[in-house]
Amino acid sequence: MDRLIFTSNATIREMANARQVLVNELANVSTVGFKSSYDVALKSIKADGGNTSFDSRIQAQAVTRDLIRLQPGAIMATGRDLDVALTDMSVMTVQAPNGERAFTRRGDLRVNVQGQLETGGGHLVLGQGGPISIPPGTMVSINSDGSVYAQDPAQTGATPPTLIDQINLKDASQTKLARRADGLYEVSEQPPGSDFTSGPQIAGLIPKALEGSNVSAIEAMTRLMDHSRSFETQIRIIKETKALDEQSSSMLKNA
């Protein structure tokens, strides 16, 4: 009896990580450029019985694989000059709040009060030499290769825009990226702030558009319902096992 209860209790505990991933994905269904992660995997471990018992049980333990799925989401045309949607499996290099190099797919860009280009989450966009600074009072446009141009609207005549910098774009089709605590991406199994070599595909973006989340709300809700039903099943097993144990003890007392 105790083995059955042990197994059900372990199942409830280990499924908590998977439920946390699902809840996080549901909460970011409408977040610009949000990417889902690989599901929680299970591995078998041998339970340690200590000095007073035997190591006789194998338990399934959940292992979080927070690797980013870079499959593109729906593209929405906005017409806004600073909105960009990254193509294929491209990522944009940004500066994390702690100053480390990180990556993102979020393309709702803006100019902050310091005159620097940043994402809607407040992370500085990095160019070829660092953060991209925008001259005050200029109109900004971004090309499909990440080139950032500025033009003074006060100038008369056919004055061509001036190239300021180029957004540091990377093709991550050959690189595994993991999610950081701040929601940005980093190279998996590498020190924080590590860079990587761009892949074989040409990294680019779609100007005046935004990419939606690649999370399917219906699929995530269905999986969450399955988790809830599994939780109820495990609780029912524990209750039934307890009842059987009590009945067995009662029969032994009356024998």
Side-chain angles (χ1 to χ4, degrees), residues 156-176:
T156 59
T159 304
T162 303
L163 176 64
I164 300 175
D165 206 334
Q166 186 174 15
I167 298 175
N168 191 352
L169 301 175
K170 300 276 188 177
D171 170 40
S173 59
Q174 305 295 325
T175 305
K176 292 182 179 180

Side-chain angles (χ1 to χ4, degrees), residues 196-254:
F196 67 94
T197 304
S198 185
Q201 300 180 11
I202 298 177
L205 50 82
I206 302 173
K208 299 182 179 181
L210 288 176
E211 178 192 14
S213 170
N214 68 350
V215 176
S216 171
I218 296 177
E219 179 183 351
M221 282 295 297
T222 302
R223 291 164 57 197
L224 190 59
M225 291 172 60
D226 289 340
H227 278 271
S228 298
R229 291 171 181 168
S230 177
F231 175 80
E232 294 173 358
T233 301
Q234 299 302 327
I235 293 295
R236 191 179 300 115
I237 290 174
I238 293 175
K239 290 181 178 179
E240 292 294 334
T241 304
K242 179 182 178 182
L244 289 173
D245 187 59
E246 291 175 349
Q247 292 177 7
S248 300
S249 298
S250 178
M251 290 177 63
L252 289 173
K253 290 180 181 179
N254 297 329

